[in-house]
Amino acid sequence: MDKPVIGFFGFARRFPREYKINLDNYRKYIFCPTRMYEDKPDTVNVDDFKKVLGDDTVVEQWDYDKTLFIDKWKGLETVPRFNQFFQQPYRIYSFFYHLGKTAEMIYRDHTVSDDTPVILIRIDVDIDKINMDKIGKLIKSGFEVVTDNKNCDRYFVTKKSKLPVFIELYEDYGKYLKDYYSRPKLNRLKTTRPEDIFNFHFSKFGKNVKRTNDRVVIHKFKHVCNPFCGHHRQKTLE
């Protein structure tokens, strides 16, 4: 039986993180920027990751360029700079881009079988426990995506064959935004924050999603604020 897969994505803020699981029991994949933060010059490299996660970790990195995402947002023309929560669409594009690229790395690896469980998780969280028994039972019972309750968007559990739903989100996000702002009375999307985008996207794909209080991936997350966060409201920098 294949080892389950962990796919890490996003900025490796405050890396290395704390892992209380046996990482040797998982195949690991990472797609992330070379820089650790949006607003600081600190960098992280392949050797840094392998030293902590293991030599078998598959790593792809890129030189982060936010203009890629700003251009995507500006190309939508009618979409404002901030959503209802002062989140900027270009930063949500960045989130979906890194998630999708990690999913794509795993999906194109033909040594991973279609039924292999995959945990897609932000790289800036600590992992205390992964309940693989519970995950296996949920997937076998028909759930295609599993995550925490309360609209968690820090991790998603699925299997390899279902990864296209995460790969296609980057492009579909723009379509959802255009519809939301051009046809508000006809749109079923509640808000344009990532949590609601995920729920809407899964429903469009007909995915059977299980949000569970069991917390199949027990993790700790501490927000690292920067000048681009919506917490600053109108003072948020682009």
Side-chain angles (χ1 to χ4, degrees), residues 32-176:
C32 71
T34 51
R35 61 191 304 169
M36 298 174 71
Y37 305 91
E38 292 170 86
D39 60 329
K40 298 176 184 177
D42 310 57
T43 60
V44 63
N45 61 42
V46 173
D47 290 338
D48 295 327
F49 289 125
K50 291 194 172 189
K51 191 181 299 181
V52 175
L53 303 175
D55 288 335
D56 58 340
T57 305
V58 182
V59 182
E60 290 186 15
Q61 293 185 276
W62 73 299
D63 293 327
Y64 181 76
D65 180 5
K66 69 180 181 181
T67 61
L68 172 67
F69 311 117
I70 291 174
D71 289 345
K72 290 283 285 186
W73 157 60
K74 287 184 175 179
L76 300 175
E77 297 180 348
T78 59
V79 176
R81 181 185 167 196
F82 296 115
N83 67 10
Q84 303 91 325
F85 305 93
F86 288 91
Q87 296 168 311
Q88 301 188 74
Y90 90 84
R91 296 187 76 232
I92 299 175
Y93 259 126
S94 175
F95 177 23
F96 294 158
Y97 177 81
H98 290 96
L99 170 63
K101 285 293 186 180
T102 298
E104 188 177 350
M105 286 177 66
I106 301 164
Y107 191 67
R108 69 174 185 240
D109 189 337
H110 299 300
T111 67
V112 180
S113 65
D114 285 348
D115 289 331
T116 300
V118 176
I119 299 136
L120 298 170
I121 190 165
R122 287 176 56 152
I123 198 169
D124 59 348
V125 303
D126 299 320
I127 302 178
D128 291 340
K129 182 179 179 181
I130 298 177
N131 190 335
M132 287 307 307
D133 289 339
K134 182 70 173 180
I135 286 170
K137 289 176 182 177
L138 288 170
I139 290 177
K140 283 182 180 178
S141 68
F143 290 106
E144 297 173 288
V145 179
V146 179
T147 189
D148 275 3
N149 211 339
K150 298 181 180 178
N151 293 322
C152 170
D153 63 358
R154 292 191 287 274
Y155 80 85
F156 298 95
V157 181
T158 186
K159 57 184 180 180
K160 181 193 172 183
S161 63
K162 305 301 180 182
L163 288 175
V165 70
F166 296 97
I167 297 169
E168 296 178 27
L169 178 57
Y170 177 68
E171 293 297 338
D172 287 348
Y173 172 56
K175 301 173 189 175
Y176 301 153

Side-chain angles (χ1 to χ4, degrees), residues 96 99 163-173 176 189 194-207 209:
F96 294 158
L99 170 63
L163 288 175
V165 70
F166 296 97
I167 297 169
E168 296 178 27
L169 178 57
Y170 177 68
E171 293 297 338
D172 287 348
Y173 172 56
Y176 301 153
L189 181 59
E195 296 92 333
D196 291 327
I197 293 289
F198 276 116
N199 289 334
F200 185 74
H201 184 65
F202 293 149
S203 70
K204 296 285 280 187
F205 269 74
K207 294 301 177 199
V209 180

